Amino acid sequence: MKALVIGPALAQPKRSNPLRRNRAQPAPQPSLQLRELPTPEPHGLGWVLMRPALAGICRTDLNMLRGDPVPSVLSAYETRGELVPGHEIVGVVEKAGRTRWAREGHRVMVEPTLRCAHKGLPECGRCRAGETHLCENADRSGALCSGSSIGASERTGGGWSDGFLVHEDMLVPADGISDQRGVLAEPAASTLHAALRWTRGGDRAVVIGCGALSRLLVATLRRLHADLDITVLYDARSPYRPRLGRRARRPGYVSALHDADFAAIRAIGAARVWRGSSEQLLQQVADLVNARMLRPDGGALPVLDRGVDVVFDCRANPASTELGLRLLRAGGTLVLCGRSSRHDADWSLVWARELTVCGAALYGREPTGRRTFAVVREWLTDPAFPIDGIVTHRFPLDEYAAAIGTAAAGVGAGAVKVVFHGPMAALQTRVEGTVAERDSNAELPVLLQSTAARVRSRAR
Ligand SMILES: [Zn+2]
Ligand SMILES: [Zn+2]
């Protein structure tokens, strides 16, 4: 079977001068290899072989390819061996070994986090508490498995392939959910978890970022809070914005794209979408909430005397975090939704204004007692959950360079969620040359109550 492999040497972070770490990083080069690997055999109670239909490319994957400019402390928890990435997956169970409920032909989505039980290790404190995404043995190998998740494990493989191993406890039925919605289950679970990290104490929320995570977060917040005022901010001048290439220099390219795109984000649930420099965005939010812009000594960015109740930072880069802290009212909450890294933040604001800063990584069991994925599965079956435009591009595995390049170019190039289509893709997009056609989502049928037989017959 075919699989995209990132090797240990490729996975090492590129070292650079730490004094220059705040400079813009070049777009990630696809340091992947397409290889022919033996199809893995499911061994052990509950393990199955799964064939992907669609597998998403996320910022974490791009980060893995690019490497951190300075080694991240998180590398201590990560697998160092050869990996097949891909943790946003919808597909079909191809081969079931000794399983309780998973059967060959089941169409499923994947909750990719590996926990102690899957590895054959004694349960850690966090797994016992149902917080399996915070497993204390993420770096440990057991008799059955290794790694922290599907797509970050030497033994299971990942979704960027024709097949990988997964435990049946990680499977979520995808009946009534189309491939293009099912592939968003994992990031949607992340955004639901992020939204639930905030205890509502006000009516104004800001989401920083315009990518898939931000859009899913807007849809999630709107579903949880019908009356919440949601503003989406896009820092156009951030040096961390991916380079857009030659197309972006065409007159009107970016602004025309953004007009249509921002309308799409408003349709999902945002009251407004603003694009500008940090200073411009602070001014616009100050006007919105009738705040004063206060100027600190030394020419730093202004702060507000009042502000919004919560900021969800989906970019989690130095500029977005700095903006987020300045936008909050005293006592407000900053939720870091993207993979943050080592960078400066003005902690005096956190101290003096009694801000709460919390991380939101992955998903598990929510305070309601339900698993995050169980809620997301219900939402995905509801056509009123407005996420159909989020998957914008599909590529076959062997077009991986174009796929990675498109995903890295991001919303500025019209790419929101880029996915690979695997052997079980029911709705393959025709690909010409190296550029996949943009999906026309309106024409895609929803596989209502799809059965494995229907999926298989379409795939052949
Ligand atoms: Zn991800
Ligand atoms: Zn554990």
Side-chain angles (χ1 to χ4, degrees):
M1 65 158 206
K2 282 188 295 184
L4 289 168
V5 180
I6 177 166
L10 302 175
Q12 288 298 320
K14 286 184 200 116
R15 287 170 191 275
S16 62
N17 182 349
L19 295 175
R20 299 181 60 194
R21 66 175 182 260
N22 285 344
R23 292 279 184 86
Q25 293 299 307
Q29 299 303 310
S31 47
L32 279 176
Q33 293 171 345
L34 185 65
R35 285 203 211 146
E36 196 62 39
L37 298 180
T39 303
E41 275 291 316
H43 294 297
L45 205 61
W47 287 89
V48 304
L49 169 68
M50 187 169 156
R51 299 280 193 194
L54 298 180
I57 301 173
C58 112
R59 285 275 144 204
T60 318
D61 300 317
L62 295 178
N63 203 75
M64 194 154 71
L65 292 171
R66 177 171 38 202
D68 288 308
V70 285
S72 165
V73 65
L74 298 181
S75 60
Y77 301 104
E78 288 164 1
T79 301
R80 291 184 169 78
E82 214 166 63
L83 298 174
V84 178
H87 55 272
E88 302 174 353
I89 311 158
V90 60
V92 174
V93 175
E94 174 77 10
K95 194 169 184 181
R98 289 177 293 145
T99 55
R100 282 172 294 137
W101 71 269
R103 295 288 175 268
E104 288 164 11
H106 268 162
R107 213 172 137 266
V108 287
M109 305 172 291
V110 175
E111 178 181 346
T113 41
L114 288 161
R115 53 198 90 153
C116 290
H118 299 146
K119 300 183 186 177
L121 294 171
E123 275 204 319
C124 71
R126 302 280 37 90
C127 280
R128 262 200 306 281
E131 295 173 336
T132 48
H133 62 301
L134 301 176
C135 177
E136 290 158 359
N137 289 321
D139 64 308
R140 286 212 173 104
S141 298
L144 301 175
C145 201
S146 66
S148 58
S149 76
I150 304 296
S153 159
E154 294 148 292
R155 295 218 217 150
T156 62
W160 297 6
S161 71
D162 290 343
F164 62 94
L165 298 179
V166 57
H167 193 277
E168 63 179 340
D169 288 351
M170 306 159 86
L171 300 179
V172 180
D175 291 331
I177 299 170
S178 67
D179 285 350
Q180 63 158 358
R181 287 168 76 86
V183 75
L184 296 173
E186 194 273 347
S190 310
T191 57
L192 173 57
H193 182 66
L196 294 174
R197 294 284 279 148
W198 173 51
T199 306
R200 184 167 174 180
D203 298 331
R204 286 199 190 275
V206 159
V207 174
I208 301 181
C210 269
L213 207 60
S214 306
R215 288 165 208 239
L216 288 166
L217 188 51
V218 170
T220 299
L221 288 170
R222 180 53 66 231
R223 188 154 181 126
L224 291 173
H225 309 283
D227 59 336
L228 187 68
D229 183 85
I230 306 169
T231 303
V232 173
L233 301 182
Y234 181 48
D235 182 355
R237 309 256 172 99
S238 166
Y240 308 95
R241 192 168 52 97
R243 289 173 189 172
L244 304 183
R246 235 183 309 165
R247 267 191 306 170
R249 290 201 286 273
R250 269 187 234 150
Y253 176 80
V254 169
S255 57
L257 184 80
H258 282 177
D259 283 347
D261 208 29
F262 287 3
I265 298 170
R266 286 195 298 273
I268 291 172
R272 60 199 72 79
V273 185
W274 287 333
R275 174 172 174 263
S277 66
S278 291
E279 172 109 18
Q280 288 167 338
L281 295 171
L282 278 162
Q283 180 67 62
Q284 282 176 285
V285 173
D287 293 344
L288 179 72
V289 301
N290 294 319
R292 288 177 299 140
M293 295 261 277
L294 309 176
R295 297 267 166 197
D297 293 340
L301 273 178
V303 290
L304 309 184
D305 63 336
R306 63 182 73 177
V308 300
D309 302 287
V310 62
V311 172
F312 294 93
D313 184 359
C314 295
R315 305 282 298 155
N317 63 37
S320 65
T321 303
E322 191 173 74
L323 175 63
L325 289 174
R326 282 168 158 74
L327 288 167
L328 286 170
R329 66 163 168 83
T333 302
L334 175 71
V335 184
L336 295 174
C337 309
R339 188 186 191 275
S340 198
S341 61
R342 184 190 175 96
H343 54 71
D344 293 334
D346 203 328
W347 291 99
S348 61
L349 280 172
V350 177
W351 166 70
R353 291 168 64 78
E354 300 196 349
L355 305 178
T356 300
V357 178
C358 57
L362 308 175
Y363 25 73
R365 188 186 294 159
E366 298 303 337
T368 56
R370 299 189 69 192
R371 288 203 70 79
T372 327
F373 261 81
V375 180
V376 164
R377 184 172 83 93
E378 276 178 20
W379 290 11
L380 291 175
T381 57
D382 179 1
F385 188 51
I387 60 165
D388 283 318
I390 290 179
V391 174
T392 52
H393 295 75
R394 300 169 187 224
F395 292 86
L397 286 179
D398 45 13
E399 300 278 354
Y400 65 91
I404 300 295
T406 305
V411 288
V416 183
K417 175 58 74 182
V418 179
V419 300
F420 287 112
H421 56 74
M424 300 316 291
L427 305 158
Q428 298 207 357
T429 307
R430 195 163 54 90
V431 175
E432 289 176 349
T434 56
V435 180
E437 292 169 0
R438 197 181 162 107
D439 280 339
S440 170
N441 289 306
E443 292 167 16
L444 295 180
V446 174
L447 299 178
L448 279 173
Q449 302 303 323
S450 69
T451 62
R454 279 172 60 191
V455 173
R456 280 165 192 270
S457 68
R458 284 176 192 225
R460 276 173 190 155

